[in-house]
């Protein structure tokens, strides 16, 4: 059944080689058929023919499969390479940002999560706000951390009360010391 679909898409591309929808469908089909190299070639082609800035994404399962044996730095390079080709790819942007977060690069994770939220409002999730709270906490932006934890909690995320209590204590201590470090970007 996949082979028939592939033949049909390829026939269509003979008549409309730069048809974005046909190319995108074929890319996802190649990924589904585990023809990853060919799918990647079409992924790269899509950025050149995407005149309407239609969002398209690298499938997370395929990215995981490709990067499974890579070091953190190799994964970062892989994600960045394809984000240079398609900067609107929220799947790769999320994977890259989560990798920064996992490796405690809180500044880059903070920038990534804010970019994701700015790029697409539907990406808004309690998990992103929770992770932003953790980033802000580690960056010393306690007021911003509190704001994000409260937003995550309102959206249904389980934010431990101890986190909020700890941040309230940090804010109180800062005010006592007289240097309240707020994050100007939030």
């Amino acid at each position: 059944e996949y082979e028939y679909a592939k033949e049909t898409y390829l026939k269509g591309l003979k008549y409309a080689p730069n048809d974005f929808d046909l190319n995108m469908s074929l890319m996802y089909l190649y990924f589904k058929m585990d023809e990853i190299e060919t799918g990647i070639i079409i992924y790269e082609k899509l950025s050149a023919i995407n005149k309407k800035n239609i969002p398209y994404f690298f499938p997370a399962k395929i990215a995981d499969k490709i990067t499974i044996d890579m070091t953190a730095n190799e994964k970062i390079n892989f994600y960045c390479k394809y984000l240079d080709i398609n900067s609107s790819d929220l799947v790769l942007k999320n994977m890259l940002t989560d990798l920064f977060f996992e490796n405690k690069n809180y500044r880059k994770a903070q920038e990534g999560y804010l970019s994701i939220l700015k790029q697409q409002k539907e990406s808004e999730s309690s998990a992103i706000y929770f992770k932003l709270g953790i980033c802000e906490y580690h960056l010393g932006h306690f007021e911003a951390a509190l704001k994000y934890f409260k937003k995550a909690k309102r959206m249904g995320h389980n934010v431990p009360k101890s986190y909020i209590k700890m941040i309230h204590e940090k804010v109180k201590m800062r005010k006592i010391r007289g240097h309240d470090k707020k994050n100007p970007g939030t």
Side-chain angles (χ1 to χ4, degrees):
E1 116 191 13
Y2 290 143
E3 282 299 323
Y4 179 74
K6 182 171 120 179
E7 286 175 32
T8 304
Y9 289 138
L10 290 171
K11 280 181 189 175
L13 287 175
K14 285 182 183 177
Y15 300 102
N18 291 327
D19 182 281
F20 181 82
D21 292 327
L22 270 175
N23 276 284
M24 185 170 63
S25 296
L26 185 60
M27 174 194 72
Y28 287 125
L29 180 64
Y30 277 125
F31 284 142
K32 195 155 198 78
M33 294 173 68
D34 212 26
E35 294 184 33
I36 295 171
E37 294 81 16
T38 308
I40 288 174
I41 290 167
I42 297 174
Y43 180 92
E44 293 172 351
K45 176 184 177 184
L46 285 172
S47 70
I49 63 173
N50 192 1
K51 304 300 181 212
K52 295 180 182 174
N53 292 323
I54 299 168
Y56 66 100
F57 310 105
F58 208 102
K61 286 182 182 180
I62 299 298
D64 283 339
K65 190 175 194 173
I66 293 170
T67 62
I68 193 154
D69 293 324
M70 291 183 180
T71 66
N73 282 338
E74 290 170 332
K75 287 179 183 182
I76 289 168
N77 290 336
F78 174 84
Y79 300 143
C80 288
K81 174 183 177 181
Y82 290 101
L83 282 167
D84 282 345
I85 293 167
N86 176 16
S87 63
S88 68
D89 190 325
L90 284 172
V91 171
L92 291 181
K93 196 175 280 190
N94 267 300
M95 294 175 94
L96 176 62
T97 302
D98 284 344
L99 184 60
F100 286 139
F101 183 84
E102 290 163 16
N103 285 284
K104 297 178 175 43
N105 187 335
Y106 296 113
R107 169 64 65 211
K108 287 200 178 221
Q110 174 217 39
E111 292 168 0
Y113 291 129
L114 289 172
S115 172
I116 290 165
L117 289 171
K118 184 179 179 182
Q119 182 177 338
Q120 189 169 358
K121 202 65 171 164
E122 299 91 62
S123 307
E124 194 172 276
S125 77
S126 62
I128 287 179
Y129 285 111
F130 181 73
K131 289 176 184 177
L132 264 170
I134 292 171
C135 291
E136 297 292 2
Y137 175 81
H138 286 286
L139 294 170
H141 308 145
F142 303 122
E143 300 269 348
L146 192 57
K147 176 181 91 172
Y148 289 127
F149 283 143
K150 286 180 177 179
K151 185 151 187 163
K153 189 172 182 136
R154 277 194 309 276
M155 295 175 79
H157 199 86
N158 181 19
V159 179
K161 289 180 184 176
S162 60
Y163 281 34
I164 302 216
K165 184 178 178 183
M166 179 176 58
I167 291 173
H168 278 299
E169 291 298 318
K170 295 268 187 189
V171 169
K172 192 187 308 182
M173 291 302 291
R174 280 233 167 117
K175 287 182 179 175
I176 291 170
R177 291 187 188 140
H179 51 55
D180 188 15
K181 181 180 180 184
K182 291 185 181 176
N183 181 4
T186 60

